[in-house]
Every structure is written in C-alpha cells, then in structure tokens.
Amino acid sequence: MPKFAATSYEFTPYVDAKNWIGGEWVDSAGGQTMDVINPRHGKVMAKVTLGGMPDVDQAVKAANAVVGDWRDRPMRERAQVMYRLKQLMERDVDELAWLVSHENGKTFNESKAEVLKGIECVEYGCALPNLGAGTQLDVSRGVNCRIVYESLGVCGGVTPFNFPNMVPLWMIPQVLVGGNAFILKPSEQVPLSCIRLAELLQEAGLPDGIFNIVNGAKDAVEALCDHPGIDAVAFVGSTRVAKLVYGRGAATGKRMLCLGGAKNHLMIVPDADLELTAQNVVASFTGCAGQRCMAASVLVAVGEVQHIIDEIATQASKLVVGEDIGAITNTESVARITGYIDRAEGDGAKLLVDGRGKAADAGGYWVGPTLIDNVPAGHPAASEEIFGPVLSIVRVDTVDEAIALENSNAYGNASSIYTTNGEVARYVTERVEAGMVGVNIGVPVPREPFGFGGWNHSKFGQGNITGWDGFRFWTRVRKITSKWAQQKDQTWMS
Ligand code: NAD
C-alpha cells in the first residue's frame, strides 16, 4: 500500500481498508463496504470492508498455520520485531500522525502526541523479555517450583475511533511478544492507521499470519467473541458495548478484558494554583475535542473558586476551532453533544462559554469549547458521558461533598484534585472511586510501565490493558514443580 501523502490538513484521499489476513490485503467475504469520512472536511477519504464470521474464520486459520512456530521462538527473538517497529514508526512519525489527523479529525499536534505514545507502548514491548523472566524457588529440599509465561494462542482485539494508532498499540506489543497471533478489529470509522501498522509490522520482520486485521462493525466483533478458535479478546470502547462484548465472549469461556466509557470528575479547591489549574483543566476538557476517555467532564467546584472558573472561561473562549481544537467524529456525535448543552441550558444552567455553531469548515463536524455553570448534580450533563469538549460545573461546599458526588457516578475511569495542600490531595486520592487518579493533572494517564484501566462501569474484567497487566492478560502462567532429589523420604512430595 502507498504511504499516506498528506502533509497538511488539505483533504487527501487514501486507499480502501481491506482485511489483512496471512500477509495479504483481501476483501470481506460478504463484499459490503462503508465510507471512511474525514471529519474535518466531511468528505469520504476511503472505504472500509465490513467483515463477519467467514472473515474471522479465515484469519483464525491463517493464524493457526504459523502461531506454533512463533510461540516456539524465544521471547527475546519475538521482541526484536518491536525494536524494529519502534525505528520504523520513528522514521514515519509525521506520516502516521497526518493519517490519524485525517481519519479521526484531531489536530496534527494531538495526532503526533498519540503516535509518540504508541511508540512508548512499543518500547514497553521491547522490555518484556527482561520482565518476563518468570521466577523460581526451591520450596523444600530438592523440590523446585518455577513459573513461566506461555502464549494463549490466537487472540482478538477491538478498538474505538478516538485513538486509531495508540489504542491498537495498547495491545499489539504484549500480545505478540507474549507468543500469540492476533486478529484486530479496528473501529470502522478509523480503519486506515491500522493499514500502516500492519505494513510496518511486516517490514519489521513479523511473520505473515501473526498479525491480522478483520475490518467491520458489530458482526465482526461478535464473530471474534463467538469463534471457538479465539482464546482471549480485549475491547476498548463505550460502556454499553463493553458490557455486551464482555458477556458474549465470557459465555464462550474466553478470557475477556473490556474497557468502557467515562465521566471524569476534576475537583478544585480554593487553594489550587490559579495558573496551573486553569491551563490544565482547559487542556483536559478540550484536548482531542473532548473525545478522550480521560477528558475532564465534570468540574466539581468546592467553595469559593470563582477566580479559577473565570480564568478557565477566559482561556477556553480563546481556543480557535480547527486550529487549537479538532473536529468531532461525525454528525450524530455533534447532535448528541449539542443536545446535552441545549438540555442543560433549558434546565437553567448558565453557559459561560458556548461552542455551539462554531465551525472551522462548512463541510466538517465541529463543536467549540463549552463551559456550563451551575449544573445540578444528577443532571444528564453532569452524570452521562457526553464525549465532546463540554465541561459541566457542579458547585459544592466541601471536599466530602465533592467526593460523594464523584463516587455516586457509575463510571470510575479517572478523577483529579487541584490543590496546593498535600493533606487534601491525599484525602481525596484515597477516597475517590476511580482507577486512575491525578493530583494537579487533568489527564492522569499512567504512562508505561504503569497499566491503564479504570474501575466500576469503566472496565469489565481483571487487570489493566497496558503495562505488565497487559502481558499477564495475553499469557498464561505455567507452574512447574520438579524433584530431582534422591532422598525420597525427606521431601513433602512422593
Ligand atoms: P463504541 O463502543 O461505539 O465502538 C467501539 C468498538 O465496538 C468499535 O470497534 C465498534 O465497531 C464496536 N461496536 C460498536 N457497536 C457494537 C455492538 N453493538 N456490538 C459489538 N461491537 C460493537 O465506541 P467508540 O464510539 O468507537 O469510542 C468511544 C467510546 O470509547 C467512549 O465511550 C470512550 O470513553 C471509550 N473509550 C474508552 C477507553 C478506555 O480506556 N476506557 C479508551 C478510549 C475510548
């Protein structure tokens, strides 16, 4: 496939996304396709093939033909592919970033940051042989126990639209270095970045058939869950679908890890640093146009913090749609986001910054930064995932009220506290119902080697998707107990 030619936001078509099976680009058996739309321009830049069970079955067969040889290679040898992939991604970083920007709509800088974070995930894959040494102990005289991490076999992954390059790379290094073959089902809205990932993996020396892509939507995902030849599936997307996919895959006995949506609460108290807090909160709720599972969604204003809210409003209103803030993924999402804003306004909340009607390009999909004050706790704008550049401010009097509000939310992805008081920081971080907690940081993503994953309705399954937990998810631990002693009567095993 040709490289993606864009070096600016100018509309640039790309090749159609087919399935990548056994090292070949092939159409889905059913022959159906869907448009891939550049959200900045609202124009079709490619088509994506829509697969289902016959395509997943074809990929499983291709994977099974080669996974035995791959599994038998030492982990150090498998990891060499990640060293080469890292170099190739660095070589092509701008091309990969422009592709993310065009298919997803985020700005070039945000896209480049995404690809660089993807490269960090690949670096973690390079380190796995050093971490995966296992362990051993003489548990009694002459008796030794050791554990080794072994591959599961053929695994599946399902990813969302908002990080077309990075979220696949949350899975690829661990699953491949772990000795498995992989079948990825990218979001049908953004399947193009994975074309380049497949080709870079091949260029890095990965044997054909170890990494496969089956494109499509619901049918392809259900096929991954149902196929008896697939041993584990990881999913990243909305809570509604995460729950469905978790249940469907687990019912067939597969190992499942499904990350869902979020409603992240940021708390500010009167002693918070004005400059740091305002800049950070704005970056959190407007970055990637709010289409991040780690984006700030509710600002819990504790006590007298009007000066900070004023500064947040000033900074947010200066952001230029199309330059500082990217496009929204599609028209349905624009309607959903503006619907929440309309409803909050209709119910008496006050719009400090209104992003409705802001557009950088007539054909594209846009919502500008929106700050809504005095949203009642429990209002849909304060409790449901909006997934756009909208921050709902809920006013409370005490830190305990703020914590109670955060904890009453069904999600549990991320939460942050802005304060200059260590005691307050500690009090909050130890009490909020969130898997990822920040102090004076609006997007508290645990970077490698720390694992990414929320709690409650933000995640179904055990462990985290990245870091060491990711490796544990894609491997199984074998425990080997050996006795070579001659003195049979002196050991507890006989
Ligand atoms: P989505 O749930 O609509 O789609 C995710 C994947 O599921 C896609 O590949 C899609 O094809 C597939 N899918 C959609 N409907 C399906 C169905 N009925 N059955 C089976 N599969 C189906 O999510 P999205 O709109 O692509 O992404 C945004 C969502 O993802 C937000 O809720 C966001 O919070 C969440 N997200 C979570 C994390 C995290 O780490 N927790 C990270 C990124 C995004």
Side-chain angles (χ1 to χ4, degrees):
M1 292 291 178
K3 289 194 172 189
F4 186 53
T7 54
S8 72
Y9 292 121
E10 190 181 332
F11 179 74
T12 310
Y14 193 45
V15 294
D16 293 344
K18 300 186 178 203
N19 295 334
W20 175 249
I21 297 179
E24 305 274 345
W25 293 110
V26 292
D27 287 317
S28 288
Q32 285 180 310
T33 61
M34 195 184 113
D35 291 340
V36 179
I37 294 173
N38 174 325
R40 177 175 281 266
H41 297 281
K43 283 164 67 175
V44 179
M45 64 180 291
K47 288 197 178 292
V48 57
T49 191
L50 298 177
M53 185 53 98
D55 309 285
V56 167
D57 191 53
Q58 196 188 346
V60 170
K61 287 189 175 112
N64 272 329
V66 289
V67 70
D69 173 63
W70 180 246
R71 183 192 53 217
D72 290 346
R73 297 184 189 194
M75 208 198 298
R76 279 188 184 283
E77 199 178 317
R78 298 194 297 255
Q80 292 308 312
V81 173
M82 294 302 136
Y83 283 95
R84 291 191 288 267
L85 178 64
K86 172 177 152 60
Q87 287 179 331
L88 296 173
M89 287 186 69
E90 285 168 348
R91 180 194 72 189
D92 294 346
V93 64
D94 283 358
E95 181 218 344
L96 298 173
W98 278 119
L99 187 51
V100 168
S101 175
H102 280 244
E103 69 173 331
N104 169 276
K106 62 180 81 171
T107 67
F108 176 73
N109 287 343
E110 290 167 345
S111 303
K112 191 158 178 175
E114 168 178 346
V115 177
L116 292 173
K117 178 65 178 59
I119 291 173
E120 267 188 38
C121 297
V122 177
E123 285 170 8
Y124 187 74
C126 297
L128 282 171
N130 298 314
L131 301 167
T135 187
Q136 63 79 33
L137 184 72
D138 281 353
V139 289
S140 65
R141 283 173 193 250
V143 178
N144 178 273
C145 281
R146 71 183 174 105
I147 60 167
V148 286
Y149 298 99
E150 296 195 0
S151 70
L152 295 172
V154 181
C155 302
V158 179
T159 52
F161 82 84
N162 63 332
F163 284 94
N165 181 293
M166 182 192 77
V167 172
L169 286 168
W170 280 0
M171 305 175 188
I172 290 170
Q174 281 91 332
V175 75
L176 297 187
V177 178
N180 306 284
F182 195 42
I183 303 170
L184 179 66
K185 206 300 286 174
S187 165
E188 64 277 27
Q189 291 181 68
V190 294
L192 306 177
S193 290
C194 287
I195 295 177
R196 295 298 297 129
L197 286 179
E199 299 219 328
L200 292 179
L201 279 162
Q202 190 182 50
E203 192 179 345
L206 187 73
D208 291 342
I210 294 298
F211 177 74
N212 306 279
I213 297 171
V214 172
N215 277 301
K218 184 171 181 264
D219 286 354
V221 177
E222 291 183 349
L224 284 176
C225 293
D226 296 347
H227 198 292
I230 294 177
D231 300 286
V233 174
F235 170 96
V236 181
S238 63
T239 288
R240 184 185 67 82
V241 183
K243 236 180 188 171
L244 287 171
V245 169
Y246 183 83
R248 189 161 182 139
T252 72
K254 288 182 179 56
R255 190 182 286 192
M256 301 295 294
L257 178 61
C258 297
L259 274 64
K263 189 73 181 173
N264 304 315
H265 289 54
L266 265 48
M267 302 171 191
I268 51 174
V269 298
D271 67 34
D273 182 272
L274 172 64
E275 212 175 306
L276 177 149
T277 304
Q279 184 273 334
N280 218 255
V281 169
V282 172
S284 177
F285 89 90
T286 64
C288 299
Q291 299 171 112
R292 286 191 287 193
C293 68
M294 295 295 280
S297 191
V298 177
L299 185 70
V300 191
V302 184
E304 185 37 66
V305 290
Q306 189 58 43
H307 60 300
I308 304 177
I309 290 171
D310 290 344
E311 183 58 23
I312 290 171
T314 303
Q315 290 195 20
S317 58
K318 286 184 188 156
L319 296 180
V320 178
V321 171
E323 285 177 30
D324 307 310
I325 180 164
I328 302 297
T329 186
N330 53 32
T331 44
E332 294 78 22
S333 294
V334 172
R336 184 193 65 242
I337 297 163
T338 52
Y340 276 105
I341 304 170
D342 294 344
R343 185 161 171 194
E345 187 181 40
D347 291 341
K350 187 176 169 199
L351 277 165
L352 302 181
V353 183
D354 186 355
R356 292 171 296 185
K358 297 263 165 63
D361 177 310
Y365 316 132
W366 307 94
V367 179
T370 301
L371 193 58
I372 318 176
D373 200 1
N374 287 317
V375 179
H379 190 278
S383 59
E384 296 173 12
E385 185 175 41
I386 299 175
F387 220 55
V390 179
L391 189 62
S392 302
I393 304 172
V394 180
R395 305 261 183 171
V396 299
D397 293 325
T398 67
V399 165
D400 282 326
E401 278 179 70
I403 294 170
L405 179 74
E406 200 279 341
N407 292 357
S408 67
N409 192 263
Y411 297 101
N413 220 38
S415 181
S416 285
I417 168 76
Y418 287 88
T419 180
T420 49
N421 181 318
E423 191 185 354
V424 172
R426 186 165 174 165
Y427 187 82
V428 172
T429 55
E430 289 176 353
R431 285 167 177 77
V432 284
E433 281 288 322
M436 295 173 279
V437 183
V439 177
N440 297 321
I441 183 158
V443 184
V445 173
R447 305 266 294 263
E448 262 41 56
F450 300 98
F452 187 101
W455 288 356
N456 305 331
H457 284 205
S458 293
K459 192 188 72 187
F460 304 90
Q462 275 298 313
N464 296 292
I465 189 81
T466 62
W468 183 237
D469 276 6
F471 182 73
R472 290 290 303 263
F473 177 73
W474 299 113
T475 53
R476 50 188 176 174
V477 177
R478 192 192 290 276
K479 287 75 62 182
I480 301 167
T481 307
S482 312
K483 180 178 75 171
W484 297 102
Q486 298 302 310
Q487 305 127 297
K488 295 185 178 60
D489 56 330
Q490 288 189 19
T491 63
W492 61 271
M493 298 188 73
S494 60

